[in-house]
Amino acid sequence: MAVMEDVAELAGVSAMTVSRVLNAPEKVRPETRARVLAAVQELGYRPNSAARVLVTGRSGVLGVVSFDTTQYGPASTLYAIERAARQNEYSVSIASLDALNRKSISEGVGRLTSQSVDGVIIVAPHESATDGLRHLPPDLPVVAVDAGEGVPFPVVMVDQHAGAARATRHLLSLGHRTVWHLSGPANWVDASARIAGWRSVLEAEGREVREPLAGDWSARSGHELGRRLAFEDDLTAIFVANDQMAMGLLRALREAGRRVPEDVSVVGFDDIPEAAYFWPPLTTVRQDFATVGRLAFQLVLDRIDGVLGERRLKVEPELVVRESAGVSPPG
């Protein structure tokens, strides 16, 4: 394995110059920097992480606490954070949790800090995470994604309320008298925000607000709830809290002989890659996970640099119109 002295010899510079190129490149002339980087690539040199900490005071490793990455939203968020980190020459160490409470979050963060991470991003989509987030070490650079209110450090999230409101307004604009809702689990921050956005539009328009039916994000739960709803006489429009449940709902409606969108219009949330290939193709709300990851990474870098604050940044979602939502049937 190549060491720093090998790079220095090949590039015709000192080991100290190689160190400057790797840790403070702006202090080295461009032509020298180019020679050193070419030698690094030719030899396949990888800096020693312990030495890097001694020189820069930073490990170049970002910790991420994640939860339930089997779900599209958390998995996409994690991928976006990893991508933003790689583009900025950071590696990522992940602590995957089975629960989001004070004890598990503390243990997960402890595992990461024992690896000398520079900062931590916590993907915290559960309401139960809020208490644990309030009790983290005050000197640790932390940013949260999808956290609830009252968190004492920056939070980045998609504006779930705005996305749900857009979906609901779209259905009302097609002439539907009201919109039913299949929600996510009650303890998820995103599910609660989507309920609030849906409800706010119906109340502002003076429309009837039916009690939402809660699923668990799975296609199975969407199918089960769809079987309960399929024969409601006044059912013409449904906003579903995620695309997986919408997929199950579409099957239930088809089994009941209800045509989509001729009899019932359906709008989902997430725009999973398969949504355009449902039958019919699903109108849904697209979340900009790439921007969430980029902002979360930039905010944690700010915290590492000592820039404090408790900002909540919201990323605007986009309504993607396809064929599953149409004009309200007559009558």
Side-chain angles (χ1 to χ4, degrees):
M1 182 178 295
V3 297
M4 187 178 293
E5 286 73 14
D6 297 327
V7 176
E9 182 178 354
L10 181 60
V13 298
S14 67
M16 181 63 72
T17 299
V18 175
S19 178
R20 286 198 188 97
V21 169
L22 296 175
N23 298 299
E26 70 282 355
K27 297 181 180 179
V28 182
R29 289 182 300 176
E31 57 271 22
T32 303
R33 189 165 66 235
R35 289 207 316 275
V36 170
L37 293 176
V40 166
Q41 183 172 5
E42 181 177 338
L43 295 173
Y45 172 68
R46 294 291 179 268
N48 180 279
S49 59
R52 178 175 180 174
V53 173
L54 289 174
V55 173
T56 68
R58 297 185 182 181
S59 65
V61 180
L62 175 69
V64 179
V65 174
S66 66
F67 172 79
D68 201 359
T69 52
T70 60
Q71 298 294 338
Y72 178 74
S76 299
T77 300
L78 178 58
Y79 174 75
I81 293 168
E82 287 185 298
R83 186 164 181 248
R86 287 197 309 270
Q87 290 172 343
N88 289 274
E89 299 183 351
Y90 258 77
S91 59
V92 174
S93 182
I94 300 170
S96 184
L97 306 183
D98 295 325
L100 279 176
N101 52 46
R102 184 173 175 179
K103 182 174 182 291
S104 65
I105 291 174
S106 177
E107 291 175 349
V109 169
R111 293 202 302 272
L112 295 172
T113 55
S114 70
Q115 301 171 40
S116 300
V117 298
D118 293 333
V120 177
I121 296 176
I122 302 177
V123 183
H126 269 209
E127 300 283 0
S128 60
T130 303
D131 180 60
L133 297 178
R134 291 188 184 124
H135 291 87
L136 293 175
D139 59 340
L140 177 66
V142 176
V143 169
V145 175
D146 285 342
E149 299 288 340
V151 175
F153 40 75
V155 176
V156 182
M157 60 198 311
V158 172
D159 193 338
Q160 309 291 337
H161 188 286
R166 260 183 213 129
T168 306
R169 278 195 294 268
H170 177 66
L171 288 165
L172 293 182
S173 74
L174 295 170
H176 298 278
R177 287 193 293 270
T178 192
V179 178
W180 295 63
H181 182 43
L182 300 189
S183 75
N187 58 340
W188 282 68
V189 173
D190 290 352
S192 299
R194 292 171 196 174
I195 290 173
W198 160 78
R199 188 186 301 275
S200 68
V201 171
L202 294 182
E203 290 178 346
E205 296 290 333
R207 308 301 179 92
E208 183 177 7
V209 181
R210 297 298 188 100
E211 190 65 23
L213 302 180
D216 62 7
W217 300 127
S218 71
R220 176 194 52 78
S221 69
H223 182 257
E224 291 175 355
L225 295 173
R227 293 176 64 182
R228 290 169 54 183
L229 281 178
F231 297 104
E232 292 286 344
D233 292 336
D234 64 343
L235 177 72
T236 67
I238 309 175
F239 164 51
V240 189
N242 79 331
D243 292 349
Q244 294 287 350
M245 289 198 300
M247 178 169 61
L249 170 68
L250 289 173
R251 174 172 174 173
L253 292 172
R254 180 177 291 272
E255 291 171 345
R258 304 295 299 275
R259 299 169 301 164
V260 177
E262 292 85 356
D263 301 322
V264 181
S265 289
V266 177
V267 175
F269 206 108
D270 280 339
D271 194 29
I272 63 175
E274 300 83 1
Y277 302 96
F278 288 3
W279 188 255
L282 185 66
T283 294
T284 186
V285 177
R286 177 181 297 157
Q287 304 192 70
D288 186 354
F289 293 110
T291 297
V292 170
R294 178 176 55 79
L295 290 175
F297 181 79
Q298 186 57 56
L299 284 176
V300 82
L301 283 189
D302 289 347
R303 300 285 283 187
I304 292 167
D305 289 335
V307 179
L308 303 181
E310 300 178 11
R311 292 181 291 170
R312 292 181 70 87
L313 301 183
K314 292 187 177 182
V315 177
E316 285 297 310
E318 174 190 0
L319 180 69
V320 180
V321 177
R322 298 194 180 101
E323 298 170 30
S324 65
V327 296
S328 176

